[in-house]
Amino acid sequence: MRTGEDDLRELVVGNDWLTRALTVVRDSGLPDAWIGAGALRDLVWGERYGDGFDPTTVRDVDVVFFDPTRLARADDHRATARLVAAWPEPPWQARNQAAVHTWYAARFGGDPIEPYRSVAEAIATWPEYATAVAVRMDPADRLEVCAPYGLTDLLGGIWRHNPARVDVARSRQRLARHRPAQRWPRVTVIEPG
């Protein structure tokens, strides 16, 4: 019986650009490193609900990793530079999820947040359920999937607010900025509220 993970794996492994990006991330040496959020959504929704996937339109390749021993923002910049050195083309953005609590409130406002205990815990707070998904390539070239809420919204083309960390006002701002209904005409947008 075919699963959502099978469908996601087929889309990811069938795309040379994302497969190369995953290989670069795997070989970078960043601990517990994954690619998730927008780049993954853009691939799936471009192929399923739009006019195809164009890597030149990807705003950033979100690489998340987990290293509780290196919490400085400079470490994120070094991790990003390491990825750029390996393959300059993608707009890499590496973020240590173990350090998010050190800068989140200053950047986004609100109360300080508790430190995340894992990449999966961090992914579960991402702004939409469809983007709360990440993948990585293991040493045997098998694709691993981290989807704390499952793959229904990502594979089903549903833009839905995840209230775990992002409030309704910020969710509406994201909706206006990303314009999912225009970018992927067959996506269903559930207005935050």
Side-chain angles (χ1 to χ4, degrees):
M1 181 173 175
R2 192 164 175 84
T3 68
E5 284 194 17
D6 293 332
D7 291 341
L8 181 59
R9 282 187 183 97
E10 183 176 296
L11 285 166
V12 171
V13 174
N15 183 273
D16 292 340
W17 184 86
L18 192 52
T19 299
R20 180 174 178 189
L22 286 162
T23 302
V24 167
V25 169
R26 179 195 61 203
D27 296 345
S28 71
L30 295 173
D32 198 14
W34 302 73
I35 291 177
L40 194 57
R41 176 208 54 218
D42 290 359
L43 168 69
V44 173
W45 287 6
E47 292 297 325
R48 286 189 157 197
Y49 303 102
D51 295 327
F53 174 67
D54 179 359
T56 65
T57 65
V58 173
R59 294 178 185 188
D60 53 41
V61 177
D62 292 301
V63 176
V64 293
F65 64 100
F66 200 83
D67 186 351
T69 67
R70 302 183 69 98
L71 302 181
R73 285 299 285 210
D75 295 315
D76 287 347
H77 300 304
R78 280 191 284 277
T80 300
R82 185 184 305 179
L83 297 168
V84 169
W87 187 23
E89 180 181 313
W92 300 107
Q93 185 177 66
R95 295 286 182 261
N96 182 2
Q97 299 304 287
V100 171
H101 69 283
T102 67
W103 54 263
Y104 189 89
R107 175 146 184 229
F108 295 110
D111 295 327
I113 64 171
E114 292 294 316
Y116 295 130
R117 295 172 298 219
S118 68
V119 166
E121 185 176 47
I123 290 169
T125 69
W126 290 358
E128 293 86 33
Y129 291 119
T131 58
V133 177
V135 293
R136 70 176 172 188
M137 194 71 70
D138 75 8
D141 290 335
R142 290 182 305 251
L143 192 72
E144 295 181 36
V145 177
C146 178
Y149 301 106
L151 297 170
T152 301
D153 282 9
L154 176 61
L155 295 174
I158 301 168
W159 178 288
R160 181 190 340 238
H161 169 229
N162 174 7
R165 176 82 54 222
V166 174
D167 63 21
V168 169
R170 191 166 305 126
S171 180
R172 287 188 177 130
Q173 290 169 352
R174 287 182 52 79
L175 183 58
R177 185 174 72 241
H178 288 283
R179 302 174 298 102
Q182 289 77 33
R183 291 173 70 193
W184 307 285
R186 296 188 319 271
V187 163
T188 299
V189 175
I190 297 174
E191 293 284 338

